[in-house]
Amino acid sequence: MQTLMQAAAMVPASIPSPDWSGFDIPLPWGTLRIHAYALCILAGIMVGLWLTSVRWARRGAPEGSVWDIVIWAIPFGIIGGRLYHVVSSPDAYFGPGFDGTGDLSLIPQIQRGGLGIWGAVVLGVLGAWIGCRRSGVKLTAFLDAAAPGLLLAQAVGRWGNYFNQELFGGPTTLPWGLQIDADNPNFPAGTPADTLFHPTFLYESLWNVVGVLILLALDRRFHFRRARLFWLYAMYYTLGRVWIEAMRIDEAEQISLFGITTRLNVWTSVFVFVVALIAFVLLGMKGRPVPDTPYLAGHEPAEDRVLETGDDREATVRDTDPVVSDSESRDNLPDSKNGSRDPSAPTEVEAALRNGKQPVPESPVAGSSGHKATESAPEAGTSK
């Protein structure tokens, strides 16, 4: 018991501020700074891609197509995320009230932080659509496969805010309060140096990890199609983003709607949640796609196209015989008398007429059995 109490006393009563934010790589012309924020984003992309590639392969998608898609989706997503951040927090780039006192050169410096998830999702989906069209697969199928991986990438990427000491919440006395260096530009002015803050990055990271497990479990149970799992991801994420965003105290664009003034990201989350809910319900009324395949029409593998055309094509091939003319079939029939008549030899009727004899009509029975029909035809039934 005493050991446990000593261990508990050693646990810090707060989350310490990071003492590392990256490292430098020496180069002949200077140094290259590798920021911890960028490493977190990169790590999030890697784990998200891993989970997405596993799920995409299980859907029966063409091998390697996930890379053909993400090579478009990731750059588009980064650009979209940066643009959304600039619009939602414009003061640093355009100045307060767009008075021109901002620094436009900061816009491309994403290593300093600032990627808005909604811009990243919108342009990322556009890039994924381009990649899907080029690969011959359905965008909706890819979005369903990628939804848990996208949430996992966000969970890891959020730790970049910790190393940048940014996007934290208001003051708190909770034991998991976050320390921020008092000389950090993001530290609220006029606040005591020992103030702790809500670690909103940690709240969102944990929320997203739980969401990954929920999405995987629901998809295993219901096998969502038509991008319904993606819209379920949007609903879950925005549900958490509303209350987490409301805790943050960093500067952001304020919007007034319905007599309520709050951050732009809060209203965006509410709007996206409503749209996602409507889309989820409407797509559920359509049922599962038929056929349930990740391929676009006309891009299925050759063997799948044969199976889809069904047994009719195979039956047609098997039942098709070469046409045999009536004359050829008659020539191939055995002679009624001896079973192998020479086509050039005269018939018995012709021979009788030549010898001046009266032809004897053949009996159908004799012709079919090969036995004598009458005693006046002794050669009937004789083998040659």
Side-chain angles (χ1 to χ4, degrees):
M1 183 67 178
Q2 185 177 2
T3 303
L4 292 176
M5 293 179 63
Q6 292 176 348
M10 296 177 61
V11 175
S14 62
I15 300 175
S17 60
D19 55 3
W20 177 82
S21 61
F23 58 92
D24 296 323
I25 299 178
L27 296 173
W29 54 86
T31 59
L32 174 63
R33 179 68 176 174
I34 304 298
H35 293 265
Y37 178 88
L39 294 176
C40 290
I41 297 297
L42 181 60
I45 292 174
M46 292 177 62
V47 296
L49 278 178
W50 166 77
L51 182 56
T52 299
S53 62
V54 171
R55 288 174 48 80
W56 189 230
R58 290 177 180 173
R59 290 291 305 271
E63 184 178 358
S65 61
V66 65
W67 305 108
D68 297 331
I69 298 171
V70 300
I71 199 173
W72 289 90
I74 292 177
F76 273 65
I78 293 176
I79 294 173
R82 186 60 174 176
L83 291 178
Y84 182 86
H85 168 75
V86 171
V87 171
S88 59
S89 303
D91 289 356
Y93 312 102
F94 304 101
F98 296 89
D99 59 5
T101 60
D103 187 358
L104 295 179
S105 66
L106 295 175
I107 293 179
Q109 300 182 36
I110 61 175
Q111 73 275 8
R112 295 176 176 268
L115 291 174
I117 182 59
W118 301 123
V121 170
V122 171
L123 282 192
V125 168
L126 176 60
W129 175 79
I130 296 174
C132 287
R133 297 291 297 182
R134 294 170 62 89
S135 301
V137 295
K138 298 177 182 176
L139 174 63
T140 55
F142 180 77
L143 291 179
D144 280 332
L150 178 58
L151 199 56
L152 182 59
Q154 292 175 241
V156 176
R158 268 301 172 196
W159 282 83
N161 300 140
Y162 168 70
F163 289 102
N164 274 7
Q165 300 191 51
E166 62 182 359
L167 307 185
F168 44 83
T172 182
T173 57
L174 293 172
W176 56 80
L178 176 65
Q179 298 178 12
I180 299 296
D181 294 335
D183 58 351
N184 189 285
N186 296 321
F187 193 89
T191 305
D194 59 350
T195 302
L196 302 179
F197 303 91
H198 279 286
T200 52
F201 82 92
L202 180 61
Y203 298 161
E204 185 170 330
S205 181
L206 294 176
W207 177 268
N208 291 347
V209 170
V210 173
V212 171
L213 300 177
I214 292 175
L215 291 181
L216 291 175
L218 291 177
D219 192 42
R220 179 176 297 226
R221 171 65 179 83
F222 297 103
H223 305 286
F224 293 110
R225 295 295 186 269
R226 300 186 188 276
R228 293 188 76 207
L229 190 66
F230 175 79
W231 290 116
L232 192 61
Y233 144 79
M235 283 190 289
Y236 177 85
Y237 179 73
T238 52
L239 191 63
R241 186 63 185 267
V242 166
W243 64 269
I244 294 173
E245 186 75 24
M247 297 177 67
R248 285 166 43 174
I249 59 175
D250 55 287
E251 294 184 2
E253 191 74 8
Q254 301 289 318
I255 302 295
S256 297
L257 291 175
F258 311 109
I260 302 175
T261 301
T262 187
R263 300 162 69 94
L264 172 61
N265 285 334
V266 173
W267 287 119
T268 303
S269 297
V270 172
F271 174 76
V272 172
F273 179 87
V274 173
V275 172
L277 177 60
I278 295 173
F280 181 82
V281 173
L282 293 179
L283 290 172
M285 298 172 62
K286 292 185 177 182
R288 297 175 66 84
V290 178
D292 185 6
T293 172
Y295 290 91
L296 289 169
H299 292 268
E300 304 87 350
E303 58 271 17
D304 290 349
R305 287 198 295 270
V306 172
L307 292 176
E308 286 179 10
T309 54
D311 297 331
D312 293 339
R313 288 183 60 183
E314 294 188 20
T316 302
V317 174
R318 285 196 294 264
D319 294 343
T320 303
D321 294 327
V323 178
V324 180
S325 66
D326 186 62
S327 61
E328 291 176 343
S329 62
R330 285 199 301 268
D331 289 341
N332 292 329
L333 290 175
D335 183 65
S336 59
K337 300 298 182 179
N338 53 30
S340 58
R341 183 180 67 86
D342 183 359
S344 63
T347 64
E348 294 184 7
V349 175
E350 293 173 344
L353 292 175
R354 291 175 184 176
N355 296 331
K357 297 180 181 181
Q358 186 70 21
V360 180
E362 294 180 347
S363 169
V365 177
S368 60
S369 62
H371 296 290
K372 292 194 298 181
T374 61
E375 301 222 357
S376 61
E379 54 278 83
T382 302
S383 299
K384 293 185 179 180

